């Protein structure tokens, strides 16, 4: 079984994907981590993030060890990721790895932006997770505050809007709900409620 989870930043994709993978006994791949590692590597090497060829080279040379880099989950890496993610050579370099991961027994949950549309168009279940930009910014602000880092809600909201825009307008595999994906709006749902709704979607699909 392959479950594709897509959606904008801080919609709750990662949290849902982890819980679904544990619930159904599947592997899990956070595909955003691949783009984050490439952006980080380019920035650390002083390479031009807007150069598609340089970005493609770094993507083709990506090593599993690069995914263990210190702060890949943070806001800066998210911003770097969305800048390198626009380049077609970067996206094509990552296709085979993601598809092989998905094909491995017993199956997998992959979360990202283009899993249902480009990476696994034949996934058994596709869920497009979303929430209003305001709710997503509030979640990220609270998440940072819980780690003792205070960043203003307005600033996080602006970053989220900018990243949504860049991810949606790019020509190559933009953020888009697949026609056959179920829409899960978590604006008014807590984590447990969102998980229950996702399980209902998966179980209905499996029959
Ligand atoms: O992976 P993605 O960026 O889409 O989101 P996430 O990292 O799974 O979730 C972002 C934050 O929102 C986390 O702190 C979650 O605990 C929180 N969250 C929530 O409060 N309510 C939900 N229904 C889903 C996530
Ligand atoms: O957790 P959050 O949604 O904030 O970020 P992420 O899923 O780690 O993705 C970081 C960035 O990588 C996104 O803003 C996209 O630009 C890019 N990305 C992508 O283009 N395709 C994917 N399958 C996953 C991430």
């Amino acid at each position: 079984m392959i479950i594709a989870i897509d959606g904008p930043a801080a919609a709750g994709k990662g949290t849902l994907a982890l819980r679904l993978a544990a619930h159904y006994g599947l592997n899990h791949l956070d595909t955003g981590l691949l783009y984050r590692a490439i952006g980080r590597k380019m920035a650390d090497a002083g390479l031009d993030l807007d150069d598609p060829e340089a970005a493609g080279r770094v993507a083709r040379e990506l090593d599993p060890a690069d995914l263990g880099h210190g702060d890949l989950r943070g806001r800066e890496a998210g911003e770097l990721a969305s800048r390198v993610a626009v380049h077609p050579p970067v996206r094509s370099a990552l296709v085979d790895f993601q598809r092989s991961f998905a094909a491995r027994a017993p199956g997998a949950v992959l979360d990202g932006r283009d899993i249902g549309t480009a990476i696994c168009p034949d996934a058994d279940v596709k869920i497009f997770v979303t929430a209003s930009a305001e709710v997503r910014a509030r979640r990220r602000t609270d998440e940072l505050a819980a780690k003792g880092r205070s960043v203003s809600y307005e600033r996080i909201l602006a970053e989220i809007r900018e990243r949504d825009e860049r991810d949606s307008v790019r020509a190559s595999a933009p953020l888009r709900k697949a026609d056959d994906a179920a829409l899960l709006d978590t604006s008014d749902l807590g984590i447990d409620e969102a998980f229950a709704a996702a399980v209902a979607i998966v179980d209905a699909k499996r029959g």
Side-chain angles (χ1 to χ4, degrees), residues 9 13 31-32 36 82 85 91 113-114 140 163 167 170:
K13 304 177 298 296
T31 65
R36 286 170 180 262
S82 80
R91 307 206 69 85
R113 299 290 185 289
D114 62 340
R140 274 276 193 266
R163 199 135 68 85
D167 288 348
R170 71 179 178 221

Side-chain angles (χ1 to χ4, degrees), residues 7-16 111 139-140 143 186 189-192 194:
K13 304 177 298 296
T15 306
L16 268 183
D111 72 280
R139 287 178 185 163
R140 274 276 193 266
E143 197 175 40
T186 70
L189 302 182
I191 293 174
D192 290 339

Side-chain angles (χ1 to χ4, degrees), residues 3 31 34 38 42 51 54 76 81 97 102 104 134 164 170 176-177 191 193 204 206:
I3 302 177
T31 65
L34 305 172
I38 294 164
M42 290 195 77
D51 177 350
E76 194 199 344
F97 173 79
R104 272 213 330 258
E134 289 78 8
D164 283 357
R170 71 179 178 221
R176 181 175 75 71
K177 177 186 164 303
I191 293 174
E193 292 168 309
R206 297 203 309 166

Side-chain angles (χ1 to χ4, degrees), residues 62-171:
L62 192 69
D63 188 271
D66 296 329
L67 303 179
H69 188 292
D71 192 19
L72 286 186
R73 310 252 175 210
R75 288 152 59 224
E76 194 199 344
E79 153 82 14
L80 297 172
S82 80
R83 287 181 59 192
V84 299
V86 303
H87 303 310
V90 169
R91 307 206 69 85
S92 57
L94 301 178
V95 170
D96 287 349
F97 173 79
Q98 294 174 87
R99 288 192 181 149
S100 317
F101 186 96
R104 272 213 330 258
V109 183
L110 287 83
D111 72 280
R113 299 290 185 289
D114 62 340
I115 308 305
T117 53
I119 302 297
C120 302
D122 298 325
D124 302 279
V125 186
K126 300 180 186 178
I127 306 177
F128 192 83
V129 188
T130 188
S132 71
E134 289 78 8
V135 165
R136 290 184 283 124
R138 172 51 57 202
R139 287 178 185 163
R140 274 276 193 266
T141 310
D142 292 348
E143 197 175 40
L144 285 165
K147 289 181 192 153
R149 271 178 284 165
S150 118
V151 184
S152 84
Y153 164 82
E154 284 73 22
R155 176 148 174 213
I156 301 275
L157 180 60
E159 285 176 3
I160 280 188
R161 289 207 162 115
E162 189 193 334
R163 199 135 68 85
D164 283 357
E165 168 78 8
R166 193 186 288 137
D167 288 348
S168 308
V169 305
R170 71 179 178 221

